[in-house]
Amino acid sequence: MTDAQLISRFDALLADLDGVVYRGPHAIPGAVESLQRLDGIGVGLGYVTNNASRSPAQVAAHLRELGAPAEDHQVVSSSQAGADLLASLLSPGAAVLITGSPALAHEVELVGLKPVHSAEENPVAVVQGFNPAIGWKDLAEASFVLADGDVLWVATNTDMTLPQTRGTAPGNGSLVAAVAAATGRQPLVAGKPEAPLFHAAAKRLSSDRPLVVGDRLDTDILGGNRAGFATVAVLTGIDTLESMLAARTEERPRYIIRDLAGLYEAYPEIDNDGGTFRCGNATATVAGDAIRIAGLKDDLDSWRAACAAWWVARPDADVPTAPELEWLDQ
């Protein structure tokens, strides 16, 4: 084990928001304090969010209300990515149907396009982003417009779920799926898990060695991996230790911590001794479709060792593949 804090290996932290910093309107315990510590050790901070319901300025204001350090420019959102993608594909002034929030409409306007809200305004594109106030009529209007195969369709993101204080709620991906089912079409996706959002955030911070932290394997971790950055998964949101163990190859994080406070802990090295993987006091060995784990179930090192062993044994997993777990020491 190295005595150095995990975060000391990097020059910036690119943090997801929902499920990492807050759930619904409330901060996750310890998250704000962990973010506040970054400036004292010279590590930059950026926020990379797929939530297109609010503008970056509104997101930054919310973060400041929670006590987290946040300037407007530190927030990079999928609504910005969606608007940029539209601008690269359409002529200036082109009409775009907004199936989303006023914040999304504002970003579309900022790139020189015309936000509209009805098929009668002859849109040549549809952009769909999360808005908790969205209804059937909005999804129907998008479907009517997309019946024309020449109309461009962009989704800011396709997160199927959204962590909230009361539990897990449908995300933008669920709403996109409804329109896809009605039209038989699939959108271009602008935000996570695509790499440009992460590259834009790193560029703003002049970061060469950023660490991406997220709670979702299929967006945060996959996007960070695609960007070529180190990734760390936290357990405060959607994905669990079990889903991380079974993850597809592209969605496997380099590090696993419980919450943001884990950034300031020493991260144990994982040794491979002839197929026996050791992390701290725990070991894991793959036997066929099972993993034999010598360690405590509530010890994170047991799961780190298990992940290392299983991922080496299954290097090319295109679908989530869950092993049987045999606990030898409980």
Side-chain angles (χ1 to χ4, degrees), residues 38-281:
L38 291 171
D39 186 56
I41 59 175
V43 174
L45 173 61
Y47 300 101
V48 184
T49 177
N50 259 356
N51 191 333
S53 63
R54 297 181 294 176
S55 70
Q58 290 172 321
V59 172
H62 178 213
L63 287 166
R64 290 193 294 270
E65 289 173 359
L66 297 176
E71 300 295 335
D72 294 359
H73 73 274
Q74 290 176 279
V75 180
V76 183
S77 73
S78 64
S79 60
Q80 292 174 318
D84 288 343
L85 179 57
L86 287 165
S88 71
L89 298 172
L90 300 175
S91 301
V96 179
L97 182 77
I98 306 298
T99 308
S101 68
L104 177 58
H106 180 62
E107 294 296 339
V108 168
E109 191 171 29
L110 285 177
V111 297
L113 300 174
K114 180 183 178 182
V116 301
H117 299 277
S118 169
E120 296 177 358
E121 297 176 86
N122 300 314
V124 296
V126 173
V127 62
Q128 187 169 356
F130 183 71
N131 181 358
I134 209 165
W136 178 87
K137 289 184 178 180
D138 303 293
L139 300 181
E141 195 71 15
S143 299
F144 299 151
V145 173
L146 290 169
D148 181 347
D150 292 329
V151 171
L152 175 67
W153 183 19
V154 168
T156 60
N157 68 293
T158 52
D159 295 40
M160 296 302 291
T161 55
L162 188 66
Q164 298 287 287
T165 303
R166 295 173 57 193
T168 301
N172 193 54
S174 297
L175 304 176
V176 169
V179 176
T183 62
R185 296 184 56 179
Q186 292 295 327
L188 298 176
V189 180
K192 294 182 281 186
E194 303 308 318
L197 203 58
F198 296 94
H199 288 150
K203 183 177 181 180
R204 289 190 189 185
L205 299 174
S206 299
S207 171
D208 297 319
R209 293 176 289 105
L211 175 64
V212 173
V213 58
D215 67 305
R216 300 184 65 109
L217 300 180
D218 60 349
T219 55
D220 307 318
I221 303 305
L222 176 57
N225 288 342
R226 284 178 172 174
F229 299 155
T231 55
V232 55
V234 292
L235 303 173
T236 50
I238 295 295
D239 272 295
T240 64
L241 289 167
E242 290 80 4
S243 64
M244 292 176 193
L245 179 62
R248 299 190 305 124
T249 302
E250 280 193 310
E251 297 177 358
R252 295 169 178 172
R254 185 179 301 183
Y255 307 104
I256 300 172
I257 57 179
R258 294 194 184 280
D259 51 35
L260 289 181
L263 295 171
Y264 301 95
E265 299 173 0
Y267 200 90
E269 300 293 339
I270 301 175
D271 298 320
N272 179 6
D273 183 9
T276 297
F277 290 78
R278 177 176 296 277
C279 184
N281 294 321

